[in-house]
Amino acid sequence: MTPHPLRHALVVDDSSAVRRQLCWALQRAGGISTTEAIDGADAWRKLAAARFDVLLTDINMPVLDGLKLVSLVRSGGAHRAVPILVVTTEAGEVDRRRALGLGANDYLVKPVQAHQVVEAVRRLLGAA
């Protein structure tokens, strides 16, 4: 049995503590490297410059929020099919439906446990 190739995750949140927590969880799971972005605009630049296998994003961020980022990613280009996991404090059903309606694949409400994030990402990558 051959091991899964290394997957690359882009982790987008304006909180450095949350980015560290999410990256730590993914890296500890094995087989996933991470790149951090401080907001949607930073993530958009990084998506244009590199290939990612999964995108994790917050909603509430300065410059370009997560919902606009989801919309941009789904609008076309090489990154259009990248699975997107929204990780946010927005617990309302309206917010969840809006994110999924724009093209997010899954939605977790903070605070999240490391295993929840890892399970969601593995599901999105087809490695569950």
Side-chain angles (χ1 to χ4, degrees):
M1 185 172 168
T2 56
H4 286 286
L6 187 64
R7 301 296 189 91
H8 304 285
L10 180 57
V11 177
V12 190
D13 200 298
D14 57 327
S15 163
S16 60
V18 171
R19 285 194 314 270
R20 274 194 309 273
Q21 174 195 11
L22 294 173
C23 289
W24 179 86
L26 293 173
Q27 291 164 358
R28 295 270 307 172
I32 301 174
S33 67
T34 58
T35 297
E36 297 181 28
I38 60 170
D39 61 31
D42 186 30
W44 187 243
R45 285 189 296 275
K46 289 178 177 172
L47 281 164
R51 189 183 72 76
F52 294 94
D53 298 298
V54 65
L55 169 65
L56 288 74
T57 185
D58 188 12
I59 289 180
N60 298 310
M61 297 178 290
V63 187
L64 183 69
D65 70 48
L67 293 177
K68 288 184 183 130
L69 177 61
V70 170
S71 202
L72 277 171
V73 168
R74 292 297 183 240
S75 69
H79 44 262
R80 177 189 195 168
V82 170
I84 300 172
L85 171 61
V86 173
V87 183
T88 182
T89 56
E90 299 301 325
E93 184 61 21
V94 170
D95 297 303
R96 188 182 77 76
R97 278 199 203 132
R98 184 160 176 232
L100 295 174
L102 289 169
N105 299 89
D106 205 349
Y107 193 95
L108 295 176
V109 178
K110 295 175 190 173
V112 293
Q113 300 297 315
H115 73 91
Q116 292 173 289
V117 174
V118 170
E119 286 171 16
V121 167
R122 284 192 171 144
R123 237 186 349 266
L124 292 176
L125 292 173

